[in-house]
Amino acid sequence: QVQLVESGGGLVQAGGSLRLSCAASVSISSINAMGWHRQAPGKQRELVATITRGGSVTYVDSVKGRFTISRDNAKNTVYLQMNSLKPEDTAVYYCYVINNQYLYYWGQGTQVTVSS
């Protein structure tokens, strides 16, 4: 069983920054992918960013140029640096991992609120 612990959410003014962290209970160097989903009230869950085993990164169009996903293999942790935040970024952000058997795990979520 993979455990994911997310942190770093909070309340920030528009234009500000936050960094989310996700600590995994397994070695992230051996998994297929990790990343972040988000879900705003009344809206469907959206894939925000992904980093693969080989280090390739992808982003949803709405965050390109503002968000950066990265990882620290020694700490088994993935990060999401969020800059130039907008009110429409307000959501619960969920860390996920796809392991080397293509099984999917997710964390408890962390709230990000951007004031207008």
Side-chain angles (χ1 to χ4, degrees):
Q1 191 79 311
V2 176
Q3 294 175 297
L4 302 171
V5 179
E6 298 145 320
S7 62
L11 175 64
V12 66
Q13 295 177 354
S17 298
L18 287 171
R19 188 176 75 156
L20 307 183
S21 299
C22 175
S25 64
V26 297
S27 174
I28 65 172
S29 64
S30 63
I31 64 175
N32 279 307
M34 292 186 71
W36 298 86
H37 301 275
R38 67 185 180 186
Q39 188 166 28
K43 304 201 73 175
Q44 294 295 110
R45 185 169 294 190
E46 177 184 45
L47 180 62
V48 176
T50 298
I51 184 165
T52 69
R53 181 177 62 247
S56 298
V57 298
T58 56
Y59 302 94
V60 67
D61 285 346
S62 61
V63 309
K64 288 180 179 177
R66 301 188 297 119
F67 290 12
T68 303
I69 188 169
S70 62
R71 66 188 178 191
D72 185 334
N73 287 346
K75 296 181 178 180
N76 292 323
T77 299
V78 64
Y79 304 95
L80 186 67
Q81 179 67 46
M82 305 186 295
N83 298 325
S84 302
L85 282 162
K86 303 175 180 180
E88 49 264 47
D89 295 318
T90 295
V92 178
Y93 284 71
Y94 298 90
C95 179
Y96 75 90
V97 59
I98 302 172
N99 73 5
N100 58 6
Q101 296 182 323
Y102 295 94
L103 298 178
Y104 172 80
Y105 300 88
W106 62 95
Q108 81 284 359
T110 185
Q111 176 71 49
V112 172
T113 302
V114 184
S115 62
S116 60

